[in-house]
Structures are given as structure tokens and as C-alpha cells.
Amino acid sequence: MLELHLKIGNSEIKVNKTNFVFGSSNGCDYVYSKLSPKHFSFSYVEGKWILNVISEIKLNGQTFTGKTEIKDGDIIEVEDLKVQIALNKIEVPYFRVIVGHHPGSMIKVEKAGVIGRDISADYIIEDEYVSRKHAILSIDNDKYIWKDLQAKNPTLINGKIFKEAKELKSGDEILIGKTRLIFVNPKEKPEHEIYKTPSKRFVFVLIGIMVFLLSILTTYFWTSNKINTFYYHYNSGKESLSKAFESNKIEEKISLLKYALYEFENAKKFNKSSDLELLEKLAKQRLNAWESVLKIKEDLNKGNLSQAKEKLKSVEDVLGEDKLFSEIYSQILRAKLVSEVVSTAKLLEKEGKTEEAQKLLEIAETKTNIQEPELTKPEIPEVKKRIELETNIPETKSELKPTKIKEPSISSDIKIDIPEIGKFDIKTETEKPLAGSGSVNAILKLKELYEDKADLEGTIKFAMEILKSDPNNTSAEFYLKLAQKEIQALQLEKEGRYKESLNLWSDILRLDPNNTRAKRAIVRLGSKI
């Protein structure tokens, strides 16, 4: 076997695991903040050290991603990190941990000594079922001899208990407590040969029962290693998939999902289970969806709210339960609603329909200005009102001039704070206004049903009627989401599931920042949790 040493600056790391990972995640073996969560790793496979590269590196000065066998003297560079490879041939015997603490790690046998869980032992086994001084390993003329020091919890060597001393052979499996080891003597038989499937000639009956049992045992060792390797990659991919869901950064989600797919691909080499296929499919769907979300920034820079909203809507089935996606979608939907309402108000004002324009402006104003809550006073920044609507009433008809009222003012550029993008100016003239008086009446009725009357069922019914004939109606979708979420939140609260209810009320508040019922509910639930 070749022992892997990594030279980084003035320090040297001796790798004693079969899988060693570099990345910025805390779970990596070597953590470096400038790397991606799991940037690259080294794996020991069938007597060779393999470099697995997920995010781009430089290998011997050349850009590289993928897999390759490493050689002595290879140099890996990422940012200002430089790793030099040194491969040393191991001649001394060692124990490989198959099951137990630190699976895959190696315990070199360089001298005779005591084996046990006590810190004073020469070879420490971290296992509560192992005695403090469990066994002693002797060396006599290049023979390695194992002898138990007590009989209460005896060691099994190749499935048998040996009351007397037992000479170890390369490939012997040792069960000490609940820890499973394999003894490897490179001079006798290197590790990669131990796991090879035995030759067919050993199956013949004439060889005898002993050879048949040996064949079964060897296959068992190989299968055990195969299962452990499968679960290592499977669990690693599953963990990355879970972290991607919890992350609140799009680029970090994409990086974690790519790593999850990489690990699922590795796991498939050992076992193609139905669970693995489902997780892989889910990771691919989420990766494609988040890459699509990342592109909405281009649409927003061009002022194309409709295109951004449609892209988000197309992946809502995949990302709908993700908190970050819900927040982004809520902000875009709210921005589009305000943009359409303000544009329509301007047209109505030009047509002399000042009263209707005023009502629409009041709706837009409540969706952009963050007002103080009635029952609590959290620090919510107040968005500045910036669009001013001037009334054009001919001076010749001064007798018809209405009484001056302080009109709400909203700017033609509305600032919306979208996660991952930041403050964004919505240009109302880039959005098409609501079509016809019917649409104006519809949004006013939706506002009345939901905000004034708190008629949630009525809001849902009316909104769905609108969406049947106009599937892209922004105001109907906006109020439908609010009413549906509120009904769910109230039901959860009734069932005593206060935390889940609170999360839904928070979603409502992100969609409708001045929602009085949501603010009251958050205060009410806060005292119950």
C-alpha cells in the first residue's frame, strides 16, 4: 500500500483514512474558507490513490475537474492554497477499521503492545465494549501474535474465539467489542488483493470444505467494504441535499446540490437502490430550478417583471416549500402587483377618473410602505413614498374642481428588496397596466373581500373565478395566496401547531408587509411558543 502525505506550506499531513476531503464545510477533513463546501478529495481504491475534483483546481499547472490517479510529486493549486503530493510505500503491517469509530482509518503496527480503550494503551480502540486492556500483540520473527487478556468479552478472529495466542495473517478479520478490523501485512498480501473475488477453481468440491468456507469469508469481507463505501457516499449526498434546502444563498445551494449529485453518482457504482434514484432525481430538479432562479436577475435588470415572475412560477412546484424561494417569489409578485396598479392609476387619472385612481393608489401604497404595527413595534424600515400623481383638471372648469385632499404619493420607481439581489427599482412604465374597468373593479373587490371584510373563503372563490379566464392575473394570484395561507395558519393555530402557524403568518407578512391580521397573529403566537 502507498501511504499518502500532503505537504501544505511548512506543514505535512499524513492521511490515514481511505477518504480525505478538502473544502470550506466544517465537516471536511481539511477546512479552508476560500474553497467550495466540498472542493476535492482523495480516495484509496484498490491499491491506488484517486483524486476526485468537484470544483475546478490546477493540477501540475493545468486546469482540471473530474477523477484521476495521483502520482508522487503532483501539485494541486486552488486560490493561494498549494498542496504537494508525496506517496510512500508502506512495509509495516496495519489494522484497517471497517466498522467502528473513524471507519476507513488505519492503525500502524510498529511495535508489540497492549490493545484496548484506555488512553495508556499502545493501540487505542474507541469502543465502550472494548476492555481498557483487552489484548496484547506480540512480534516474534516477523510473526504477529494476538492474545486476549480476559475472557469476559472475547475477541473473534475470523468468526472464532481463540483462548490461546493466535498468529495473525494478512486478511484476518478481527471483531473486538463492536469494532471490526482487518489485519493487513503488505509483505504477505497487500490490502487490494484481500478484497478480490476468489478464483473459480476454489469452488470445486475436491478442494474441500475449508476452501469453500474461505471463499465465503473473503466474499463477505469484500461485500462488507462495498456496503460501507455505498453508505458513505449515500449519506454524504443526502447530507448535502439537506444543507442545500436549509441554505439561504442561491450560489451555495447550487454548489451543495452539485456535490450531492456527485456523491449519488459514486454511490450508484456500489448499489442502485430506489431511494437513491429518488434522491438523485430530486437533487437534479432542485439544481435546474435554482439555476433558473439565478437568471431572473438579468430579467430584473431589464425591468422585465413578467418574465421574472413566469420563470419563478415554472419552478414553484419544485421549490415552493423552500423559505428563500418563497421570499423571492413574494417580493416579485408584490412588485408586479404594485407596478400594474400604479400604471393603471396613471391612465385612470389621465381619463379624469380621479376617484378610482385614488383607490388604486391607496392599495399600491399599502404594499410598498411599511407601517408601524398596532400591537408591537419591531424595527421595520419605512420605505419612502416616491411616485407622485398629478391631477390634470382644466382651469376653465374651476367650478367642478374637487375639494383638495392630501393624496397618497408613490414614486414611478418603486424600491423592492429581493433576497440575493438586494434593492431593486421597479419601473412602472415597463409593465402593462390592468386591462379595462373590469380588472380595476376586480382588484377593488379583492381588496374589499380580503382586507376590509376578512372574507377568506369569498376571496378564494372570487380569485379563482378570475384566474379561470385570466391565468396570469397578478392581483387574483396575490390575494389568493394571502387567503389560502391565512386559512392554513388559522387551522394550524387551532390544532396547537403554533410554530408552523407562525411560519405561515411570516410568509403572509413578507407578501403583504402591512397585513394587520398577520402582525397581530405573530404577537399572539409569540407568547404561546
Side-chain angles (χ1 to χ4, degrees):
M1 175 182 175
L2 295 175
E3 187 174 48
L4 176 61
H5 291 253
L6 306 174
K7 296 179 182 178
I8 305 173
N10 296 324
S11 62
E12 182 174 318
I13 299 172
K14 183 170 68 175
V15 178
N16 66 347
K17 299 175 64 178
T18 54
N19 195 69
F20 194 88
V21 184
F22 279 71
S24 57
S25 173
N26 290 333
C28 295
D29 300 291
Y30 188 92
V31 179
Y32 189 60
S33 60
K34 293 184 180 181
L35 301 177
S36 60
K38 291 187 177 180
H39 205 107
F40 63 94
S41 64
F42 298 98
S43 301
Y44 183 72
V45 181
E46 296 184 356
K48 300 176 183 178
W49 281 101
I50 305 299
L51 172 64
N52 309 297
V53 181
I54 303 163
S55 299
E56 191 176 278
I57 66 165
K58 282 192 175 180
L59 177 61
N60 300 326
Q62 300 293 320
T63 300
F64 181 79
T65 55
K67 294 184 179 182
T68 186
E69 181 183 355
I70 57 173
K71 299 178 179 62
D72 187 43
D74 281 350
I75 296 175
I76 295 170
E77 295 174 284
V78 185
E79 298 287 345
D80 55 352
L81 177 69
K82 184 177 180 181
V83 181
Q84 187 171 353
I85 307 299
L87 296 173
N88 302 327
K89 192 171 183 179
I90 298 178
E91 297 294 342
V92 299
Y94 57 89
F95 294 103
R96 176 72 70 190
V97 180
I98 302 301
V99 177
H101 284 275
H102 313 297
S105 61
M106 180 177 63
I107 304 171
K108 280 188 179 181
V109 178
E110 297 178 316
K111 63 177 182 178
V114 174
I115 300 167
R117 78 168 192 273
D118 195 272
I119 57 172
S120 64
D122 298 287
Y123 301 103
I124 300 172
I125 307 294
E126 297 179 39
D127 186 335
E128 61 181 325
Y129 294 93
V130 173
S131 300
R132 296 181 184 279
K133 293 183 178 180
H134 198 106
I136 188 165
L137 186 69
S138 305
I139 303 174
D140 184 12
N141 293 327
D142 289 333
K143 293 181 180 180
Y144 295 85
I145 301 167
W146 180 291
K147 180 174 174 53
D148 268 11
L149 294 176
Q150 48 78 44
K152 185 178 180 182
N153 190 17
T155 303
L156 292 178
I157 301 177
N158 297 330
K160 295 182 180 179
I161 298 173
F162 292 86
K163 294 182 179 180
E164 303 299 327
K166 170 72 168 71
E167 181 185 350
L168 297 179
K169 297 293 184 181
S170 188
D172 280 350
E173 182 183 287
I174 299 163
L175 182 63
I176 175 171
K178 291 194 174 182
T179 301
R180 194 179 299 276
L181 309 172
I182 284 185
F183 177 72
V184 181
N185 188 343
K187 293 179 181 178
E188 183 181 346
K189 183 187 288 186
E191 186 176 355
H192 66 273
E193 289 186 8
I194 293 172
Y195 302 111
K196 287 183 177 179
T197 305
S199 175
K200 288 183 179 179
R201 68 175 181 270
F202 291 108
V203 181
F204 292 110
V205 177
L206 294 177
I207 302 297
I209 297 174
M210 291 300 294
V211 175
F212 177 73
L213 291 174
L214 180 61
S215 173
I216 297 267
L217 187 60
T218 306
T219 304
Y220 171 73
F221 291 155
W222 182 83
T223 303
S224 177
N225 183 60
K226 180 180 176 181
I227 291 171
N228 284 325
T229 306
F230 165 77
Y231 277 109
Y232 172 82
H233 292 297
Y234 175 83
N235 290 330
S236 179
K238 195 174 179 181
E239 182 185 359
S240 292
L241 184 60
S242 178
K243 285 181 178 179
F245 184 79
E246 295 169 1
S247 172
N248 60 358
K249 293 181 180 178
I250 295 177
E251 290 183 352
E252 185 176 50
K253 284 176 179 288
I254 290 173
S255 178
L256 285 165
L257 288 168
K258 285 182 178 178
Y259 184 76
L261 286 170
Y262 168 79
E263 286 292 59
F264 291 150
E265 193 63 34
N266 283 335
K268 281 167 64 178
K269 296 173 184 176
F270 300 93
N271 186 7
K272 295 182 179 180
S273 69
S274 57
D275 286 349
L276 183 60
E277 289 179 0
L278 288 173
L279 288 173
E280 186 178 35
K281 182 179 178 181
L282 178 61
K284 285 179 180 177
Q285 287 176 336
R286 288 186 180 174
L287 176 61
N288 293 334
W290 277 116
E291 286 177 339
S292 179
V293 171
L294 196 61
K295 294 177 183 177
I296 69 165
K297 190 171 183 179
E298 300 171 10
D299 295 311
L300 293 176
N301 289 335
K302 296 174 184 177
N304 195 337
L305 273 174
S306 296
Q307 190 72 20
K309 177 175 168 288
E310 286 309 306
K311 282 184 180 178
L312 290 177
K313 197 170 181 65
S314 67
V315 296
E316 189 176 13
D317 289 344
V318 179
L319 303 178
E321 294 182 2
D322 192 288
K323 186 178 178 181
L324 178 60
F325 175 81
S326 178
E327 191 169 348
I328 293 172
Y329 189 84
S330 294
Q331 298 295 338
I332 296 292
L333 181 61
R334 182 162 62 91
K336 192 169 189 301
L337 174 73
V338 172
S339 179
E340 289 181 359
V341 168
V342 172
S343 296
T344 304
K346 287 182 177 180
L347 289 178
L348 291 172
E349 187 276 331
K350 288 179 181 179
E351 295 171 2
K353 298 177 181 179
T354 308
E355 186 178 348
E356 287 181 292
Q358 182 79 6
K359 288 179 180 178
L360 289 181
L361 277 180
E362 287 172 359
I363 293 174
E365 190 174 35
T366 62
K367 307 309 173 208
T368 54
N369 295 338
I370 309 299
Q371 300 170 354
E372 287 290 322
E374 296 179 11
L375 301 178
T376 186
K377 293 184 177 181
E379 293 182 8
I380 304 175
E382 204 174 317
V383 179
K384 189 177 179 182
K385 308 179 211 173
R386 297 172 49 203
I387 297 188
E388 295 184 358
L389 195 63
E390 299 178 357
T391 53
N392 296 322
I393 301 176
E395 294 182 3
T396 57
K397 296 184 179 180
S398 57
E399 68 277 9
L400 299 177
K401 199 170 185 180
T403 305
K404 289 186 178 179
I405 301 173
K406 186 178 180 181
E407 299 178 356
S409 59
I410 303 177
S411 73
S412 56
D413 296 330
I414 305 160
K415 283 192 180 295
I416 300 291
D417 190 7
I418 299 173
E420 293 284 318
I421 296 172
K423 297 286 184 182
F424 182 77
D425 292 342
I426 304 300
K427 311 284 186 182
T428 56
E429 58 269 21
T430 62
E431 288 294 318
K432 292 181 180 179
L434 299 167
S437 60
S439 294
V440 175
N441 292 333
I443 191 172
L444 292 175
K445 185 176 179 181
L446 285 166
K447 186 259 185 188
E448 179 187 5
L449 286 169
Y450 180 77
E451 297 183 18
D452 303 336
K453 295 183 178 179
D455 183 358
L456 303 179
E457 296 291 347
T459 303
I460 292 172
K461 184 178 178 181
F462 186 58
M464 291 182 74
E465 286 176 2
I466 296 171
L467 290 169
K468 280 182 183 179
S469 56
D470 182 9
N472 295 317
N473 190 293
T474 304
S475 55
E477 183 184 353
F478 180 83
Y479 281 103
L480 177 63
K481 281 188 179 294
L482 286 176
Q484 288 175 333
K485 285 179 181 290
E486 187 166 340
I487 285 177
Q488 292 173 24
L490 290 170
Q491 182 60 34
L492 288 170
E493 183 177 357
K494 187 177 179 181
E495 295 171 4
R497 296 157 67 181
Y498 301 130
K499 191 171 181 180
E500 294 172 69
S501 177
L502 185 62
N503 289 337
L504 274 174
W505 283 115
S506 298
D507 288 345
I508 292 170
L509 208 56
R510 279 192 289 271
L511 190 57
D512 186 12
N514 290 313
N515 192 301
T516 305
R517 294 196 296 277
K519 291 176 181 178
R520 288 176 178 170
I522 288 171
V523 173
R524 181 175 68 250
L525 290 168
S527 64
K528 295 181 181 181
I529 295 177

